[in-house]
Amino acid sequence: MNKANKIDEFLSKLNHPLKAEIASVVKIIREVSPEMEEDVKWGGPSFDYKEPMATLNPRITDFVAVIFHKGELLNDTTGFLEPGPKGKAYAKFRSMEEVEKQKANLQKVVKDWIKIMNS
């Protein structure tokens, strides 16, 4: 099974109040680059580009949490990301409306990561 299908299989079995929002966030991240690697790690869908970039944490059920592992490298000028411990940063989505409203910011953060990894 290829790793992209691992995320799809994971999502198909996931019982989560924001399952549709999680699927949308996965789709938005996938649209940025076909070169990203996907897997299910640390209990959730994960995306790597040269090194681990972000993981969704489905154990949190009151919002969709996207953890950018090295968020301190991302120069987020939008205020979209919340700083976290150990250099991490979080994107949080509480509704489909928020997912759609923040789509451009989420894709910008992923594009910035790819630029940083390529420089």
Side-chain angles (χ1 to χ4, degrees), residues 55-71:
T55 300
L56 283 76
N57 183 348
R59 289 179 297 280
I60 297 170
T61 56
D62 50 341
F63 55 86
V64 178
V66 184
I67 302 154
F68 287 89
H69 302 290
K70 293 188 175 178

Side-chain angles (χ1 to χ4, degrees), residues 95-113:
S95 65
M96 191 60 84
E97 186 182 3
E98 272 187 28
V99 171
E100 289 164 6
K101 195 174 113 194
Q102 296 290 355
K103 177 179 179 177
N105 285 333
L106 178 58
Q107 289 190 325
K108 180 188 180 306
V109 167
V110 174
K111 287 174 187 164
D112 288 350
W113 176 261

Side-chain angles (χ1 to χ4, degrees), residues 34-84:
E35 294 175 26
M36 278 190 296
E37 292 182 27
E38 300 182 16
D39 203 348
V40 175
K41 296 190 285 197
W42 303 296
S46 289
F47 295 89
D48 294 7
Y49 183 84
K50 297 194 177 179
E51 52 182 275
M53 178 190 70
T55 300
L56 283 76
N57 183 348
R59 289 179 297 280
I60 297 170
T61 56
D62 50 341
F63 55 86
V64 178
V66 184
I67 302 154
F68 287 89
H69 302 290
K70 293 188 175 178
E72 82 270 11
L73 296 178
L74 297 162
N75 184 19
D76 174 39
T77 55
T78 64
F80 166 64
L81 295 177
E82 293 181 21

